[in-house]
Amino acid sequence: MSDHYDAFEMSPVPAPGPDAVPPEPFHGIYGMPSFVTIPTADLAGSLDFWIRGLGFFELFSVPGVLVHLRRWAFQDVLLVVAQSVPAQPPAMSYSFSGVLGQVESLAEACRALRPDAVDGPRDTPWNTRDVEVITPENARIVFTAAKPFDPASQEARNLAAIGIRPPGGGDGAPAADGVDSVDNGLHA
């Protein structure tokens, strides 16, 4: 993997593990490399759900027009006022990374606010634990957390079948090039 840049040094996502600690919410201003814009007919209701359910905070707002929400660095959402929202959630989803220790509490917080809007947690074939949430705006949001890599697991066999090698070649030692291929779910 020497031809790939080790982007983990710039990512706020910690290495997976049962004791992984999430980074602090990031309050700085930067050029956003990616963000999602979500129309809402009820800005106050949407804001409440995103903060109390999904764990975002209000970075800033333009009153009556938009609220810029954030969790970690590079996890930005713009809630924008609209006359209406789609009647049904789209098939497309937008995912935010977290750590395993956050999955259950996030699912519980969202269920407390919208009991029928939460699916999961569920484990995926690519070694993550996911919770899918339909927000008040009918956005399909997936909160995903990498599970620790177990070289003897079905997930490891799934990844090997598509050519993704385990960290350190499967024996727990660092990879020869110093870069682990599977650090956070399905990342090559």
Side-chain angles (χ1 to χ4, degrees), residues 27-118:
H27 292 268
I29 300 296
Y30 50 76
M32 295 184 298
S34 177
F35 62 93
V36 61
T37 301
I38 298 181
T40 177
D42 178 8
L43 190 57
S46 293
L47 181 60
D48 181 62
F49 183 83
W50 281 82
I51 289 172
R52 291 192 312 133
L54 293 168
F56 282 74
F57 68 91
E58 182 178 331
L59 185 63
F60 67 84
S61 67
V62 177
V65 177
L66 75 84
V67 175
H68 183 153
L69 299 171
R70 180 174 295 152
R71 278 182 72 244
W72 301 350
F74 312 122
Q75 294 186 341
D76 294 276
V77 173
L78 301 180
L79 295 175
V80 295
V81 172
Q83 294 298 315
S84 63
V85 298
Q88 298 294 318
M92 182 202 80
S93 65
Y94 197 88
S95 298
F96 293 96
S97 291
V99 297
L100 278 176
Q102 297 176 307
V103 173
E104 293 293 334
S105 61
L106 181 129
E108 290 172 16
C110 289
R111 275 195 184 97
L113 297 167
R114 293 178 52 97
D116 297 329
V118 179

Side-chain angles (χ1 to χ4, degrees), residues 148-166:
F149 187 77
D150 175 1
S153 69
Q154 181 60 49
E155 291 89 347
R157 290 187 291 280
N158 294 341
L159 295 171
I162 59 173
I164 297 176
R165 67 184 171 89

Side-chain angles (χ1 to χ4, degrees), residues 97-181:
S97 291
V99 297
L100 278 176
Q102 297 176 307
V103 173
E104 293 293 334
S105 61
L106 181 129
E108 290 172 16
C110 289
R111 275 195 184 97
L113 297 167
R114 293 178 52 97
D116 297 329
V118 179
D119 181 20
R122 67 179 177 280
D123 290 343
T124 68
W126 48 89
N127 206 41
T128 64
R129 184 161 296 142
D130 293 0
V131 174
E132 182 179 279
V133 178
I134 305 301
T135 69
E137 315 79 30
N138 277 328
R140 187 178 307 275
I141 302 300
V142 176
F143 184 84
T144 184
K147 298 184 319 185
F149 187 77
D150 175 1
S153 69
Q154 181 60 49
E155 291 89 347
R157 290 187 291 280
N158 294 341
L159 295 171
I162 59 173
I164 297 176
R165 67 184 171 89
D171 60 3
D177 60 8
V179 178
D180 290 341
S181 306

